[in-house]
């Protein structure tokens, strides 16, 4: 009678150690990514308002492109972790190489599209006549680094699948330092202006990609995995990525609709919305770190034909997600008076943001469950269901959000709709997790 609880506690401690070991470095790497843009903004901002505005347009386009192709990391993590769990490390790395080759192909295609169409893209996003030349310059140069950016995503997925989130953290920190030094040297030292900022970022990204490739190639040689492109493997990676692409595009559509609705509410509301959205994104990094641990751990258990271990890990990660959500909610409530003055001194904007921040705080435990289950199902390779669930969420959210200005609702109502959106996601993901249909064991799904 006493052995089972002791065994259960030991299993929970094991899950806790794995989650912490994977999630903490993953969080550091995730936070380092947006710091690239912050450094660029701080350096370019001293060149002038037009240059900073141009950087804002170009960086928004580049950030969107990277977020759209994040499936390169997610799908690769799940596939590599499965093969690791099955005990075939060579096949795991071979799967990762297929993802890297796919990243290079997509990157080349993006360059071919962006270079000739950069002026049209910048014009479409409404850049002013003074900012547009700077945006075009930055976009064209930075586009050359997109293949490296995508290789970093895919290689990060390889290492996460191999249960290594420390190396991505080290590479991200090194890339951040190199990016800052190169930007200062090229923008001011070489006098290249905004072009220097773009080249500095491209060089830093290429350096990160080279480090990742060196690590993966060393592992491939050690375990006898081929480095040559494999058409069937690349096609399989692309097919696994399509549902995750649909999921990501649906989520991006939700965020764009929310911003468009906030813009219709007035200048103070859209300003407050941007502040809240930045905080919401930062909180998402903390929860996404647990989700990344979920992708790696669940994939490994399923690859090892251990459905009970996968279920137990899922339950424990959900508990972590709820606990993290509660802690983040309390931090938001306590820090509200300190957080807002960092972004604005306008009392009207503060008044609009304060009640909406309470809604964000209320939603954090829900977000914790959503992020964790999202990671669990990604780790299980359950992409088609994730795509369907996110499309359904978009269908529910869109009419609710669009009715807010019509019915006289404000920013708090909009973030209430965002909380509804997360609740719908939680229900769809919980139903799938409870059904057990995501549990498909073996080296491949």
């Amino acid at each position: 009678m006493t052995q089972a609880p002791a065994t259960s506690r030991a299993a929970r401690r094991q899950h806790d150690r794995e989650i912490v070991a994977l999630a903490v470095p993953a969080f550091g790497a995730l936070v380092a990514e947006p710091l690239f843009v912050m450094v660029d903004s701080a350096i370019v901002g001293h060149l002038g308002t037009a240059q900073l505005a141009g950087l804002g347009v170009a960086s928004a386009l580049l950030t969107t492109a990277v977020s759209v192709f994040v499936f390169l990391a997610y799908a690769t993590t799940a596939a590599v972790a499965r093969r690791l769990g099955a005990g075939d490390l060579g096949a795991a790395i071979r799967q990762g190489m297929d993802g890297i080759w796919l990243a290079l192909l997509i990157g080349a295609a993006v360059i071919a599209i962006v270079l000739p169409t950069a002026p049209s893209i910048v014009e479409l996003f409404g850049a002013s006549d003074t900012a547009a030349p700077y945006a075009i310059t930055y976009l064209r140069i930075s586009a050359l680094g997109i293949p490296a950016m995508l290789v970093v995503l895919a290689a990060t997925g390889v290492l996460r699948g191999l249960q290594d989130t420390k190396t991505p953290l080290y590479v991200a920190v090194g890339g951040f330092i190199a990016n800052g030094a190169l930007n200062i040297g090229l923008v001011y030292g070489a006098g290249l202006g905004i072009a220097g900022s773009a080249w500095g970022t491209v060089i830093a990204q290429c350096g990160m990609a080279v480090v990742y490739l060196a690590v993966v190639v060393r592992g491939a040689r050690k375990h006898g995995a081929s480095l040559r492109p494999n058409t069937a493997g690349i096609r399989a990676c692309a097919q696994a990525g399509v549902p995750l692409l649909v999921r990501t595009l649906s989520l991006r559509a939700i965020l764009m609709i929310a911003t468009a609705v906030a813009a219709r509410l007035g200048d103070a509301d859209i300003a407050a919305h941007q502040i809240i959205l930045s905080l919401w994104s930062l909180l998402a990094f903390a929860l996404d770190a647990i989700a990344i641990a979920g992708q790696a751990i669940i994939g490994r258990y399923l690859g090892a034909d251990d459905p009970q271990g996968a279920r137990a890990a899922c339950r424990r990660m959900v508990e972590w997600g709820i606990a993290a959500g509660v802690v983040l909610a309390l931090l938001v409530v306590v820090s509200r008076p300190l957080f807002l003055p960092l972004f604005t001194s306008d009392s009207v904007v503060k008044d609009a943001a304060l009640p909406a921040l309470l809604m964000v705080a209320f939603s954090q435990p829900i977000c914790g469950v959503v992020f964790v289950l999202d990671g669990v199902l990604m780790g299980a390779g359950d992409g088609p269901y994730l795509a369907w669930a996110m499309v359904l969420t978009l269908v529910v959210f869109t009419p609710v959000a669009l009715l807010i200005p019509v019915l006289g609702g404000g920013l708090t109502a909009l973030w209430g709709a965002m909380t509804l959106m997360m609740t719908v996601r939680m229900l769809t993901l919980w139903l799938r997790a409870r059904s057990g249909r995501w549990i498909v064991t073996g080296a491949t799904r």
Side-chain angles (χ1 to χ4, degrees):
M1 296 293 291
T2 59
Q3 189 65 29
T7 303
S8 177
R9 286 196 296 271
R12 285 199 299 271
R13 285 196 295 270
Q14 179 184 350
H15 290 314
D16 291 345
R17 285 194 295 269
E18 286 189 327
I19 292 168
V20 170
L22 291 170
V24 172
F27 174 69
L30 289 170
V31 170
E33 293 173 9
L35 292 178
F36 270 70
V37 177
M38 291 180 62
V39 168
D40 289 0
S41 299
I43 293 171
V44 172
H46 292 285
L47 295 175
T49 301
Q51 288 91 332
L52 183 59
L55 172 66
V57 172
S59 62
L61 290 166
L62 293 166
T63 301
T64 299
V66 172
S67 66
V68 165
F69 296 120
V70 75
F71 71 83
L72 289 166
Y74 293 159
T76 305
T77 297
V80 171
R82 273 185 177 270
R83 284 162 175 78
L84 176 69
D88 193 344
L89 192 53
I93 297 175
R94 170 68 263 178
Q95 180 73 41
M97 285 303 306
D98 292 335
I100 290 173
W101 280 111
L102 177 61
L104 287 170
L105 291 173
I106 293 174
V110 172
I111 287 179
I113 293 171
V114 171
L115 289 182
T117 62
S120 300
I121 296 173
V122 169
E123 182 181 358
L124 182 65
F125 271 69
S128 67
D129 291 340
T130 54
Y134 298 110
I136 293 169
T137 297
Y138 192 92
L139 182 59
R140 278 183 166 157
I141 296 173
S142 295
L144 301 176
I146 287 178
M149 294 166 66
L150 300 187
V151 166
V152 167
L153 285 177
T156 299
V158 176
L159 296 181
R160 288 174 181 170
L162 296 174
Q163 318 295 293
D164 177 10
T165 55
K166 290 183 179 179
T167 300
L169 171 61
Y170 299 149
V171 176
V173 171
F176 169 72
I177 294 172
N179 179 65
L182 286 166
N183 268 259
I184 293 173
L186 294 175
V187 171
Y188 298 117
L192 296 179
I194 194 170
S197 176
W199 280 118
T201 301
V202 168
I203 295 169
Q205 289 163 346
C206 289
M208 292 169 66
V210 168
V211 173
Y212 272 120
L213 288 174
V215 172
V216 175
V217 168
R218 186 174 64 232
R221 288 175 175 168
K222 180 179 179 180
H223 298 282
S226 174
L227 298 175
R228 296 179 179 178
N230 180 281
T231 303
I234 295 172
R235 186 185 304 114
C237 287
Q239 290 173 346
V242 168
L244 296 180
L245 177 61
V246 172
R247 167 200 168 275
T248 301
L249 290 174
S250 299
L251 178 58
R252 296 297 302 184
I254 287 171
L255 297 177
M256 289 176 64
I257 290 169
T259 300
V261 170
R264 293 180 62 185
L265 297 176
D267 290 346
D269 287 298
I270 185 60
H273 175 75
Q274 289 303 115
I275 294 171
I276 295 170
L277 190 60
S278 67
L279 174 63
W280 192 77
S281 299
L282 179 62
L283 298 174
F285 284 132
L287 299 175
D288 202 26
I290 304 175
I292 288 170
Q295 294 172 31
I297 293 170
I298 293 298
R300 192 190 72 229
Y301 273 116
L302 295 178
D305 291 318
D306 187 358
Q308 293 304 318
R311 284 184 181 275
C314 175
R315 285 194 297 269
R316 190 57 177 163
M317 279 183 282
V318 168
E319 292 170 359
W320 268 79
I322 294 172
V326 170
V327 170
L328 292 176
L330 294 174
L331 287 175
V332 171
V333 172
V334 171
S335 65
R336 281 187 310 153
L338 303 175
F339 175 75
L340 288 174
L342 296 176
F343 291 87
T344 182
S345 58
D346 190 326
S347 60
V348 178
V349 174
K350 290 180 182 179
D351 290 343
L354 278 171
L357 279 174
L358 286 177
M359 190 63 69
V360 171
F362 171 78
S363 70
Q364 287 311 296
I366 299 172
C367 294
V369 176
V370 168
F371 275 81
V372 166
L373 291 181
D374 209 36
V376 166
L377 296 185
M378 283 184 189
D382 204 12
Y385 182 84
L386 290 171
W388 172 86
M390 189 60 80
V391 170
L392 175 64
T393 303
L394 173 62
V395 170
V396 173
F397 172 79
T398 300
V400 174
L402 294 179
L403 279 174
I404 288 173
V406 176
L407 298 178
L411 190 64
T412 304
L414 176 59
W415 278 93
M418 291 287 284
T419 302
L420 170 65
M421 177 269 292
M422 296 302 291
T423 303
V424 172
R425 288 187 68 189
M426 182 180 69
L427 291 174
T428 57
L429 297 174
W430 177 77
L431 288 172
R432 185 64 166 183
R434 188 169 179 269
S435 73
R437 294 178 182 175
W438 55 278
I439 299 178
V440 179
T441 59
T444 58
R445 181 177 174 88

